[in-house]
């Protein structure tokens, strides 16, 4: 009985209709008290004209249940309550109220079920009322029932008005009414919103309403209204208004007429909708007929109100377009049309909306009338009644099947892009390996020739040209591989503690010979306040520093290059390292500076022909510094040189590793008697390494593949193995695992070092995971090779050797 709560509110009102009714009843029957009682399962709510009864009392303390038990239209009269066994012990009779006479008629609700009683009471017994008096009592009870029915009708009206208001608010459609005789215009809240005015400050009439329309549309609408009033014709028109803030809006208005019993038009009424955005969408959609049809067939969200028991008391007509069902065909249980696997998600979303009081959003599957599964987006908002209790939940449903399909296509495109990036990375890694392998021989043998004292001057010049060209080619390969890693986000920083002076001196020493060859001065300036030790990726910092120095030497014809290192402490205690390289070279025009840090670009394309380079070095440097959380830049003017700089935050202090500076590298030599096994399928590499190792006083045996290496380890005694990775018959990783299996349980472990063109981090990790102890990259750097051999032949371990 949803109407009971409203009737109880009216009963509690001090000046409400029930108050006047009991006063009338008390006067008609000249009794001590007249009472209207409404019953709930636990309480009796009472309105009396006297202080005889309390406002609320437990149900058992009221006599009204005795009346309601008799049914609709019943009357109960007890002339002397002290003589009636049903009530003589009742608190209202035996207690201080001293009730002696009781007459009551049943009250029924609009559904015909008894809900209370209208009673007249006396503190002394009376004779049985006459038939006329009983009819008067029934008449008064009927008046009480009319009050209850009116309250219920008002409740239903208010509920429908609230539903209409919500529908207008959520759908953007308002309603209006024009009285013919008075010219009074009534607007709903949504119509005020569309016009951009407030109800409190604007009182519409026919003239002021027409003022909103642009010139041509104003006359059109006036003619439509006039024709409707005179002839009873409705209209449907799309017009344009200008709001007080100057914004123009397109509106759709639909009107009908209302006539009296003589057929005369007495009013016009209609709906009003802002279609500005829809017009924009349709205009864009006309460019593509197929997309227009898709939009036209799917326009319109579904709006429904779901009660707490899951039933729907309103569903907008768009449901037929969405699911193929009409409201009349649907069962009334909203979850019946949700995909079975998603029903718990919908119930959870509704529960969250009710619990939190804020809208919740959910994407889930629904089932079409034809059995097809579609995707919808739902927004749930709980509505509370005047007592703050949740009455139902408003749900806005939008078809998103097409969007889900597009999301799938985007995911598929992303997967294809990731596979393409992986393929590119693998291609670059393979190309790096294939290029590094022959470069190993070129760089290695040219290095050996440069060290030969018997080489004539002219041939030495040729060898130096070969060495320079091969080193330049190696730099190009390293740049391309580094940029590939950066694009794939595959580079990770490797922070370690390092001595700042050693890092700076080592970088400057690398370009010192180039400066001497060109007659340039090289100056290094380190701020006295600089901490001795910082923690960061020293290798990547050296890489950026060398890029700046190499570029400065390359583009400077006379004068010199200055390396300045300094910085300042951050608020968080870290040191913000600043490195700047200044040259006296050709300089850079302002409009070309932005190009410097873009891949494959230089300030002037002609510089590629004059000075060489890939155009990747600065792009790589910028990405590396950004990954470190720093910034990079350049200051330059044409003909006045340039200053390239970077700043990055680094932690101060830390324990410096054994190889923190070049001076701590184990010196080659003193390795006579060591016996080395080398596995490599390239004859040139075997010949090169053999020449290097014999020059270091070591014995060396070479094999062509991993299988031969395993066999050699079975028959010979070696102090160390240099193992290539890519070899026929058996690769180096498999061979290493087999050697470790052979040596398991013997107490002997022969050091195995990878000597390979596979230089990427994941490739190095695979070498170590297979059982190798270290990694050396091709092309071979003789000092690095000699240092590693000295370390391992002296009984070193991988933990003691920094990389």
């Amino acid at each position: 009985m949803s109407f009971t709560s409203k009737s109880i509110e009216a009963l509690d009102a001090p000046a409400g209709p029930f108050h006047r009714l009991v006063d009338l009843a008390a006067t008609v029957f000249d009794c001590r008290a007249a009472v209207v009682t409404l019953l709930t399962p636990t309480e009796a709510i009472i309105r009396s004209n006297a202080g005889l009864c309390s406002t609320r009392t437990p149900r058992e303390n009221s006599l009204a249940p005795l009346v309601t038990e008799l049914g609709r239209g019943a009357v109960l009269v007890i002339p002397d309550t002290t003589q009636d066994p049903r009530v003589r012990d009742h608190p209202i009779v035996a207690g201080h109220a001293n009730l002696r006479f009781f007459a009551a008629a049943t009250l029924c609700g609009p559904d015909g079920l008894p809900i209370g009683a209208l009673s007249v009471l006396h503190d002394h017994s009376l004779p049985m009322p006459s038939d006329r008096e009983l009819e008067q009592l029934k008449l008064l009870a009927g008046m009480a029932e009319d009050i209850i029915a009116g309250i219920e009708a008002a409740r239903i009206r208010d509920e429908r008005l609230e539903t209409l208001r919500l529908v207008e608010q959520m759908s953007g459609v308002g309603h209006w009414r024009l009285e013919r005789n008075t010219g009074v215009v009534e607007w709903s809240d949504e119509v005020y919103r569309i016009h951009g005015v407030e109800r409190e400050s604007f009182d519409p009439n026919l003239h002021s309403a027409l003022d909103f329309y642009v010139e041509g549309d104003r006359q059109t609408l006036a003619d439509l209204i006039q024709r409707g009033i005179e002839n009873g014709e409705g209209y449907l028109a799309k017009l344009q208004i200008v709001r007080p803030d100057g914004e123009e809006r397109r509106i759709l208005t639909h009107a009908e007429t209302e006539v009296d019993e003589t057929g005369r038009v007495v009013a016009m009424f209609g709906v009003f909708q802002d279609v500005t955005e829809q017009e924009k969408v349709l205009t864009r959609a006309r460019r593509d007929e197929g997309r227009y049809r898709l939009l036209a067939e799917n326009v319109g969200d579904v709006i429904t109100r779901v009660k707490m028991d899951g039933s729907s008391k309103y569903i907008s007509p768009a449901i037929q377009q969405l699911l193929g069902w009409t409201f009349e065909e649907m069962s009334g249980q909203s979850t019946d049309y949700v995909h079975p696997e998603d029903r718990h998600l919908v119930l959870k979303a509704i529960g969250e909306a009710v619990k939190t009081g804020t809208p919740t959003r959910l994407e889930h599957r629904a089932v079409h009338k034809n059995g097809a599964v579609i995707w919808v987006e739902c927004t749930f908002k709980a509505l509370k009644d005047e007592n703050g209790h949740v009455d139902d939940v408003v749900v806005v449903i939008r078809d998103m099947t097409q969007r889900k399909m597009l999301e799938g296509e985007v995911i598929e495109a992303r997967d294809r892009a990731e596979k393409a990036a992986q393929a590119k990375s693998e291609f670059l890694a393979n190309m790096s390996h294939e290029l590094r392998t022959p470069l190993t021989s070129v760089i290695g043998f040219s290095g050996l020739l440069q060290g030969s004292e018997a080489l004539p001057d002219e041939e030495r010049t040729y060898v130096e040209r070969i060495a320079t060209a091969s080193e330049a080619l190696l730099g190009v390969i390293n740049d391309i591989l580094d940029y590939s890693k950066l694009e794939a986000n595959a580079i990770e920083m490797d922070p370690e503690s390092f001595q700042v002076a050693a890092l700076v001196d080592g970088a400057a020493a690398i370009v010192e010979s180039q400066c001497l060859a060109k007659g340039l001065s090289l100056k290094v300036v380190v701020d006295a306040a600089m901490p001795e030790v910082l923690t960061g990726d020293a290798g990547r910092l050296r890489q950026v520093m060398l890029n700046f120095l190499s570029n400065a030497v390359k583009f400077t014809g006379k004068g010199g290059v200055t390396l300045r290192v300094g910085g300042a402490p951050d608020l968080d205690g870290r040191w913000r390292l600043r490195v700047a390289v200044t040259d006296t070279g050709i300089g850079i025009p302002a409009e070309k500076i932005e190009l410097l840090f873009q891949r494959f670009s230089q300030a002037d394309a002609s510089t590629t022909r004059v000075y060489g380079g890939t155009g990747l070095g600065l792009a790589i440097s910028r990405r590396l510094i950004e990954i470190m959380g720093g910034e990079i830049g350049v200051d330059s003017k044409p003909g006045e040189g340039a200053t390239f700089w970077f700043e990055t935050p680094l932690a101060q202090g830390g324990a410096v590793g054994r190889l923190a500076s070049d001076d701590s590298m184990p010196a080659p030599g003193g390795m006579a008697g060591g016996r080395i096994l080398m596995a490599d399928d390239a004859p040139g590499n075997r010949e090169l390494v053999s020449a290097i190792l014999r020059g270091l006083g070591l014995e060396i045996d070479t094999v062509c593949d991993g299988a031969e290496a395993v066999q050699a380890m079975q028959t010979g005694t070696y102090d160390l193995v240099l193992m290539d990775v890519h070899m026929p018959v058996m690769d180096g990783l498999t061979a290493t695992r087999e050697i470790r299996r052979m040596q398991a349980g013997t107490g002997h472990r022969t050091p195995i070092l990878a000597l390979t063109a596979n230089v990427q981090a994941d490739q190095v990790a695979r070498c170590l995971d297979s059982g190798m102890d270290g990694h050396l990259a091709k092309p071979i750097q003789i000092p690095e090779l000699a240092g590693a051999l000295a370390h391992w032949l002296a009984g070193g371990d991988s933990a003691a050797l920094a990389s």
Side-chain angles (χ1 to χ4, degrees):
M1 294 183 293
S2 59
F3 49 82
T4 304
S5 61
K6 288 291 186 180
S7 298
I8 290 173
E9 290 180 14
L11 201 65
D12 284 339
F18 288 113
H19 179 79
R20 295 189 293 273
L21 179 64
V22 294
D23 284 347
L24 174 62
T27 300
V28 170
F29 285 92
D30 191 22
C31 59
R32 177 182 171 184
V35 178
V36 172
T37 305
L38 296 180
L39 299 175
T40 72
T42 59
E43 285 187 310
I45 296 87
I46 299 166
R47 166 56 64 185
S48 171
N49 71 312
L52 181 63
C53 302
S54 61
T55 303
R56 289 176 181 262
T57 187
R59 183 183 174 103
E60 59 270 18
N61 289 346
S62 170
L63 296 181
L66 293 176
V67 187
T68 57
E69 290 173 359
L70 300 177
R72 182 182 180 89
V75 175
L76 174 63
V77 179
I78 304 177
D80 187 350
T81 57
T82 62
Q83 303 303 313
D84 192 314
R86 292 174 296 177
V87 299
R88 64 188 176 194
D89 296 326
H90 196 279
I92 199 172
V93 176
H96 68 278
N98 198 31
L99 176 66
R100 292 296 178 265
F101 175 84
F102 176 77
T106 302
L107 297 182
C108 292
D111 56 2
L113 298 178
I115 59 171
L118 172 67
S119 312
V120 291
L121 315 173
H122 252 303
D123 54 2
H124 58 270
S125 60
L126 293 173
M128 179 66 69
S130 65
D131 291 343
R132 180 175 175 277
E133 290 174 326
L134 292 178
E135 286 302 319
Q136 288 178 332
L137 183 61
K138 288 183 179 182
L139 178 62
L140 291 171
M143 295 171 64
E145 290 179 343
D146 290 342
I147 292 173
I148 294 171
I151 292 172
E152 171 62 3
R155 185 191 69 82
I156 293 174
R157 181 201 63 206
D158 291 344
E159 185 177 83
R160 289 176 177 173
L161 287 175
E162 176 63 13
T163 299
L164 178 60
R165 187 189 67 80
L166 287 172
V167 169
E168 287 192 2
Q169 181 180 353
M170 301 176 75
S171 64
V173 177
H175 68 274
W176 57 268
R177 179 182 178 85
L178 167 64
E179 294 287 344
R180 176 176 181 173
N181 291 339
T182 63
V184 172
V185 175
E186 296 178 2
W187 283 356
S188 68
D189 290 344
E190 187 63 18
V191 178
Y192 277 99
R193 188 196 66 79
I194 293 173
H195 282 83
V197 294
E198 300 290 339
R199 185 184 293 273
E200 294 76 13
S201 58
F202 183 79
D203 186 16
N205 55 51
L206 181 57
H207 178 73
S208 61
L210 287 172
D211 285 343
F212 283 91
Y213 292 84
V214 297
E215 186 64 33
D217 289 352
R218 184 183 306 139
Q219 187 58 47
T220 298
L221 182 58
D223 293 343
L224 290 172
I225 294 174
Q226 185 64 30
R227 188 160 53 247
I229 291 176
E230 293 177 355
N231 305 327
E233 298 178 6
Y235 62 81
L236 176 65
K238 190 177 293 184
L239 306 168
Q240 186 167 342
I241 65 172
V242 180
R243 295 169 22 148
D245 58 6
E247 184 178 355
E248 296 183 357
R249 308 298 293 179
R250 293 282 291 175
I251 57 95
L252 180 67
T253 179
H254 185 189
E256 296 292 342
T257 59
E258 180 181 328
V259 299
D260 59 15
E261 61 276 6
T262 66
R264 179 178 176 271
V265 173
V266 295
M268 294 192 74
F269 61 92
V271 292
F272 195 84
Q273 182 181 15
D274 185 343
V275 295
T276 306
E277 301 306 322
Q278 293 93 316
E279 286 284 306
K280 292 179 181 178
V281 170
L282 290 176
T283 299
R284 289 193 298 267
R286 291 189 184 98
R287 301 171 188 170
D288 186 333
E289 181 64 20
R291 293 169 63 185
Y292 167 75
R293 290 179 181 175
L294 177 64
L295 181 63
E297 291 170 0
N298 291 277
V299 69
D301 296 346
V302 176
I303 302 172
T304 180
R305 293 183 68 171
V306 180
K307 296 185 69 65
M308 300 312 296
D309 61 2
S311 63
S312 298
K313 59 183 180 181
Y314 172 79
I315 303 178
S316 64
I319 191 66
Q320 186 171 6
Q321 183 178 353
L322 181 67
L323 294 182
W325 302 89
T326 65
F327 177 67
E328 291 74 20
E329 294 173 330
M330 301 182 79
S331 66
Q333 285 296 321
S334 57
T335 54
D336 289 349
Y337 306 95
V338 178
H339 193 281
E341 296 178 3
D342 292 350
R343 287 174 184 168
H344 70 287
L345 299 175
V346 173
L347 295 175
K348 180 180 178 182
I350 294 175
E352 289 179 355
V354 172
K355 181 179 179 180
T356 64
T358 59
T360 59
R361 177 185 169 278
L362 175 67
E363 296 177 2
H364 68 86
R365 291 165 293 178
V367 181
H368 194 274
K369 183 178 182 180
N370 61 14
V373 175
I374 65 172
W375 278 93
V376 296
E377 176 187 67
C378 291
T379 301
F380 305 89
K381 180 174 176 57
L383 299 180
K384 295 182 179 181
D385 59 20
E386 60 275 10
N387 297 317
H389 302 130
V390 174
D391 184 36
D392 53 14
V393 176
V394 172
V395 187
V396 180
I397 309 169
R398 177 170 296 174
D399 187 352
M400 59 173 296
T401 306
Q402 294 298 321
R403 194 175 84 190
K404 275 292 183 180
M405 292 174 60
L406 291 175
E407 287 178 1
E409 293 175 2
V410 169
I411 292 173
E412 183 180 351
R414 181 202 64 192
D415 293 342
R416 287 198 302 269
E418 289 177 351
K419 290 179 181 178
Q422 178 65 23
K424 182 182 72 172
S425 178
E426 293 175 357
F427 169 76
L428 289 173
N430 290 335
M431 288 302 298
S432 171
H433 178 273
E434 294 302 318
L435 291 170
R436 284 173 182 273
T437 298
L439 269 178
T440 299
S441 296
V442 175
I443 294 176
F445 281 118
S446 63
L448 290 177
L449 285 172
Q450 284 177 301
S452 174
E453 296 179 358
L455 194 65
D457 291 342
E458 184 175 356
E459 281 76 7
R460 182 177 300 279
T461 301
Y462 298 157
V463 171
E464 289 175 350
R465 296 290 186 269
I466 293 172
T468 301
S470 58
E471 290 290 348
L473 180 57
L474 179 60
V476 171
I477 295 171
N478 288 337
D479 280 353
I480 294 174
L481 189 60
D482 266 355
Y483 200 83
S484 173
K485 292 179 184 178
L486 286 166
E487 281 196 322
N489 293 320
I491 282 188
E492 295 182 0
M493 295 295 105
D494 184 18
E496 59 179 355
S497 298
F498 62 90
Q499 292 178 343
V500 178
L503 176 69
V504 174
D505 292 343
I510 293 174
V511 299
E512 186 175 10
S513 61
Q514 301 175 40
C515 290
L516 290 174
K518 297 184 68 172
L520 303 175
S521 65
L522 177 59
K523 186 177 180 181
V524 177
V525 180
V526 179
D527 191 337
M530 172 72 64
E532 291 185 7
V533 177
L534 295 174
T535 298
D537 193 325
R540 294 300 181 183
L541 290 170
R542 181 186 292 109
Q543 180 179 349
V544 179
M545 200 179 302
L546 280 174
N547 179 262
F548 285 0
L549 288 168
S550 298
N551 284 344
V553 174
K554 181 193 300 185
F555 293 103
T556 302
K558 60 180 180 178
V561 175
T562 301
L563 170 61
R564 297 183 184 275
V565 182
D570 277 346
L571 295 177
D572 58 3
R574 296 189 296 175
W575 184 266
R576 188 167 185 84
L577 176 67
R578 179 179 174 87
V579 174
V581 175
T582 302
D583 62 61
T584 57
I586 61 176
I588 308 161
E591 67 274 11
K592 300 292 185 179
I593 287 179
E594 283 300 319
L595 297 175
L596 292 176
F597 296 99
Q598 297 179 13
R599 60 180 184 173
F600 309 119
S601 66
Q602 294 185 339
D604 187 343
S606 64
T607 61
T608 304
R609 297 189 294 272
V610 176
Y611 298 101
T614 62
L616 283 176
L618 289 174
I620 293 171
S621 297
R622 182 180 66 175
R623 292 289 298 277
L624 290 175
I625 294 301
E626 288 175 347
I627 291 174
M628 295 181 194
E631 56 181 329
I632 192 170
V634 59
D635 303 314
S636 180
K637 291 182 180 180
E640 298 182 11
T643 297
F644 284 82
W645 57 268
F646 70 82
E647 295 182 358
T648 186
L650 301 174
Q652 299 189 52
V656 180
R658 193 174 65 83
L659 294 182
S661 68
D662 294 337
D663 295 337
S664 62
M665 175 70 73
M671 297 182 285
R675 189 179 180 201
I676 310 298
L677 173 64
M678 178 186 183
D680 198 309
D681 61 325
N685 290 344
R686 296 197 299 272
E687 184 179 352
L688 172 63
V689 174
S690 296
I692 295 172
L693 266 57
R694 290 190 184 103
L696 295 174
L698 300 172
E699 298 180 25
I700 181 168
D701 292 338
T702 62
V703 294
C704 299
D705 57 54
E708 292 183 4
V710 173
Q711 184 178 3
M713 289 296 292
Q714 291 173 336
T715 59
T717 302
Y718 296 97
D719 300 303
L720 185 141
V721 179
L722 294 174
M723 184 76 73
D724 191 15
V725 173
H726 288 289
M727 294 183 292
V729 184
M730 179 183 291
D731 63 69
L733 302 179
T734 305
T736 299
R737 286 190 285 266
E738 183 61 22
I739 292 171
R740 293 300 180 223
R741 187 192 64 77
M742 290 164 43
Q743 294 182 339
T746 65
H748 176 70
R749 179 185 174 93
T750 303
I752 302 176
L753 304 181
L755 184 59
T756 175
N758 290 350
V759 296
Q760 297 191 68
D762 59 333
Q763 296 170 329
V764 174
R766 282 198 294 269
C767 291
L768 300 179
D769 291 342
S770 71
M772 295 183 184
D773 298 289
H775 179 278
L776 295 168
K778 295 177 182 177
I780 298 168
Q781 302 296 321
I782 295 178
E784 181 183 359
L785 175 61
L789 293 175
H791 171 77
W792 288 103
L793 292 175
D797 58 67
S798 58
L801 184 63
S803 57

